[in-house]
Amino acid sequence: MSRVSELFTFSVNRKDIDWEKVIKQQLCPYTQKRCFKVRKSDADISIGTCIVKNGEKLDNIIICPHRLLERKQIFIDCLHLMTRHVPGNELHIIPEVSIPGGNVDYFIVSTDGNRKVKDFIGVELQTMDTTGTVWPERQKAVQELGLQCEGVISNKTFGMNWKMTAKTILVQLHHKIKTFENLDRHFVLVVQEQLLNYIKKEFYFNHISQHPLIGDTMHFHSYGLKTVDNQLKLFLQERYSTDGDGISQLLGLNADANVEFDTIAKILESKVSDKTIFTIG
């Protein structure tokens, strides 16, 4: 049986899906763009694997960051941290913003009637990196859905790169957190519960607050998956918070990023448009 749980955001257990159409379109419903995970040997083919099974318990592990965009719930769960937002302001979701310290996956931005930035939150997404190749398992899943596969399905498999994934994201957080701390704005890391549990186990995590504080710059939001109507659904599992020193204690690194609010605001205002506006529902 294939270890793939979802293809192009749809559970492989669903019988009400036109799978031939889904695989032909190669569309990610959350981005409304073609799935960016393509075959190394053929860039015209999107793999479309969002969630795979891993380990003895066959846990469902998210391997695509766009899968975290389901219902935009991760953004809704951050809104309480936007302490300078006022009723009447517009909310925008701005992807891929470059700041001192690196790129940030998303900004949630509050603008006034003239679309001037009044507040913002940075949101970073991290899902699991894999080793090996998921392609044979993907082809096996397609075959189990009753569709034809070209060629012979190989026995090659894949694994989870826990150590590299965890260390890479923590180093990135350390590079970026000072920027948000200097600006007195919040920065949120969104991960799946299994990755956060690994970080708790392998890094010094005891000083991270289990009772999130608005005054802390760095927030961790951990999500789980549950089956609802034969489809996997995200739900908020745990929240933690700390400051720049807390991230430093995790890694023992140093970073400087002194910037002004207006510098970030100017970048965000150039990207604000009708296409970025954030609506609930």
Side-chain angles (χ1 to χ4, degrees):
M1 189 172 185
S2 172
R3 289 168 59 191
V4 173
S5 299
E6 274 191 2
L7 282 172
F8 299 102
T9 76
F10 298 107
S11 169
V12 297
N13 294 322
R14 291 185 59 174
K15 308 299 183 184
D16 59 329
I17 300 296
D18 185 344
W19 284 108
E20 187 171 3
K21 179 180 178 181
V22 166
I23 292 170
K24 183 178 180 180
Q25 286 183 331
Q26 305 188 119
L27 181 72
C28 172
Y30 300 134
T31 64
Q32 286 300 304
K33 297 178 181 178
R34 181 189 167 201
C35 170
F36 77 98
K37 296 168 71 71
V38 299
R39 289 197 73 188
K40 291 181 180 179
S41 60
D42 189 347
D44 290 330
I45 299 178
S46 291
I47 301 175
T49 47
C50 312
I51 300 175
V52 296
K53 292 181 172 64
N54 182 71
E56 294 181 1
K57 296 182 180 179
L58 296 178
D59 291 331
N60 283 307
I61 304 295
I62 301 172
I63 62 172
C64 175
H66 290 157
R67 181 58 181 81
L68 294 170
L69 300 177
E70 176 198 324
R71 307 184 325 266
K72 298 181 180 177
Q73 188 65 43
I74 59 170
F75 301 125
I76 296 170
D77 293 336
C78 294
L79 291 179
H80 67 289
L81 298 173
M82 192 170 285
T83 55
R84 297 169 179 83
H85 172 74
V86 297
N89 279 10
E90 289 183 345
L91 290 174
H92 295 261
I93 304 296
I94 311 292
E96 299 176 8
V97 178
S98 179
I99 67 167
N103 291 329
V104 176
D105 290 332
Y106 292 92
F107 271 76
I108 308 174
V109 182
S110 173
T111 65
D112 63 15
N114 296 315
R115 287 193 167 168
K116 294 295 182 181
V117 172
K118 295 302 179 182
D119 201 4
F120 57 77
I121 303 168
V123 182
E124 194 79 1
L125 313 185
Q126 183 62 57
T127 50
M128 281 305 305
D129 294 329
T130 57
T131 59
T133 174
V134 182
W135 180 252
E137 291 293 330
R138 187 266 201 191
Q139 289 299 80
K140 194 184 298 182
V142 170
Q143 191 176 66
E144 290 170 0
L145 290 169
L147 303 179
Q148 287 188 338
C149 295
E150 294 183 6
V152 178
I153 300 176
S154 77
N155 293 322
K156 292 182 180 179
T157 187
F158 67 92
M160 296 293 152
N161 201 347
W162 295 100
K163 184 176 182 180
M164 185 58 70
T165 302
K167 189 168 184 178
T168 298
I169 188 58
L170 290 178
V171 169
Q172 290 178 1
L173 292 183
H174 187 271
H175 290 164
K176 298 168 188 175
I177 189 61
K178 290 300 181 182
T179 297
F180 285 91
E181 208 159 51
N182 291 337
L183 294 167
D184 191 24
R185 294 303 193 277
H186 294 98
F187 189 38
V188 182
L189 174 66
V190 176
V191 295
Q192 193 177 357
E193 58 179 323
Q194 286 87 345
L195 178 55
L196 187 60
N197 289 340
Y198 178 87
I199 291 172
K200 290 180 188 177
K201 177 183 174 184
E202 299 296 327
F203 295 84
Y204 183 69
F205 203 82
N206 293 341
H207 61 290
I208 307 297
S209 176
Q210 299 183 41
H211 304 287
L213 304 173
I214 292 291
D216 282 341
T217 302
M218 184 74 239
H219 287 251
F220 296 84
H221 287 188
S222 167
Y223 285 80
L225 288 167
K226 58 185 176 182
T227 303
V228 178
D229 296 329
N230 210 25
Q231 183 74 21
L232 291 169
K233 184 177 180 180
L234 282 173
F235 68 96
L236 184 62
Q237 180 88 1
E238 294 179 300
R239 295 187 297 122
Y240 295 86
S241 71
T242 188
D243 56 14
D245 289 339
I247 299 299
S248 296
Q249 287 182 54
L250 281 171
L251 288 171
L253 302 174
N254 293 306
D256 291 312
N258 294 310
V259 295
E260 299 294 334
F261 174 87
D262 289 345
T263 303
I264 301 294
K266 191 169 292 185
I267 296 171
L268 296 174
E269 285 166 6
S270 70
K271 293 175 178 287
V272 165
S273 69
D274 289 339
K275 291 183 179 179
T276 63
I277 196 163
F278 176 37
T279 57
I280 301 174

